[in-house]
Amino acid sequence: MSTERPQQAVTPPGESPTPPPTRRTFIATTTVVGGAAVAGGLIAAPPALAADGAAAAEGAVAAEGPPGSRLSLTVNGVRRTVTVDNRTSLLDLLREHLDLTGSKKGCNAGACGACTVLVDGRRVNSCLTLAVRLEGAEVTTIEGLAQGDRLHPLQQAFIDQDAFQCGFCTSGQIVSGVGCIQEGHIGSPEEIREWMSGNLCRCGCYVKIERAVEQAVGRK
């Protein structure tokens, strides 16, 4: 067995021995070196990797795009074919895609009736109706009631009875009144008011609106 001891580092004459690094010095040194390496990696990322990352990000955005559908429906007697986001309401389809702005966006929650249109002859709140559900449907808006320069009888009755003030709810009121007449809910003033109650008028023209409906059916 060897009895030799391991040699120790000898400090040359005239030089001070180097003290061993302390724990604080070691941590500070490794932190600075590591931070420089990370910063260098961020600043000088390989071009190929950067391009691949950008392409992947663009692909992810495209994959997350909203789904759309193509549908055909008849609006005021004209066949329309459009491609829309599946979340598009009938109201937004009419106003934003077909430029039929007579139907108004009031509460956008189905509570005021300003957006009322006829779908296959029945009254609906267009703000609550998904456009993609209306494939093949027939939609009538306020723009489709008149025949050229000849107003619909209810449109004329609204003028004769002065059944509007600000006019914001008027298109929905008239379309709803046309639906009310077609549905046969015109037996009495009370019945008309009941079946028109889903259309709100902030100006309070309810009495004149009811009279306009009665005029349109020949009772005034």
Side-chain angles (χ1 to χ4, degrees):
M1 176 181 295
S2 174
T3 59
E4 296 182 358
R5 295 181 179 180
Q7 296 182 353
Q8 297 180 350
V10 178
T11 302
E15 293 186 8
S16 307
T18 302
T22 65
R23 180 172 178 273
R24 178 176 298 177
T25 303
F26 174 78
I27 293 175
T29 303
T30 54
T31 301
V32 171
V33 174
V38 171
L42 292 175
I43 295 172
L49 293 179
D52 291 344
E58 291 178 1
V61 171
E64 294 174 0
S69 295
R70 185 178 179 86
L71 73 148
S72 295
L73 69 167
T74 301
V75 181
N76 297 331
V78 179
R79 193 69 173 175
R80 303 289 193 122
T81 300
V82 294
T83 300
V84 296
D85 182 334
N86 288 346
R87 300 166 295 181
T88 301
S89 69
L90 174 57
L91 178 60
D92 285 339
L93 171 65
L94 295 172
R95 293 180 58 84
E96 307 298 335
H97 295 262
L98 304 182
D99 198 29
L100 296 171
T101 57
S103 303
K104 303 305 181 184
K105 182 176 286 190
C107 66
N108 206 33
C112 73
C115 67
T116 303
V117 300
L118 302 178
V119 175
D120 295 330
R122 308 293 292 185
R123 293 176 286 175
V124 302
N125 291 320
S126 59
C127 70
L128 297 183
T129 305
L130 286 176
V132 293
R133 300 184 61 185
L134 301 180
E135 175 66 34
E138 293 190 8
V139 179
T140 302
T141 71
I142 187 67
E143 292 92 343
L145 294 181
Q147 300 296 322
D149 293 334
R150 184 165 60 89
L151 296 177
H152 186 280
L154 187 54
Q155 290 176 305
Q156 186 61 55
F158 262 68
I159 296 174
D160 295 341
Q161 296 293 334
D162 193 24
F164 52 88
Q165 287 189 36
C166 77
F168 189 84
C169 73
T170 302
S171 59
Q173 297 280 2
I174 293 175
V175 173
S176 185
V178 171
C180 185
I181 293 170
Q182 293 178 353
E183 294 161 15
H185 301 302
I186 52 174
S188 65
E190 292 75 21
E191 185 177 14
I192 293 172
R193 288 196 292 267
E194 174 66 25
W195 288 91
M196 289 285 292
S197 60
N199 290 79
L200 304 182
C201 175
R202 291 173 175 83
C203 301
C205 294
Y206 296 111
V207 173
K208 295 180 179 180
I209 290 171
E210 179 264 314
R211 289 175 180 171
V213 175
E214 287 196 290
Q215 175 182 319
V217 297
R219 290 211 299 264
K220 288 288 184 181

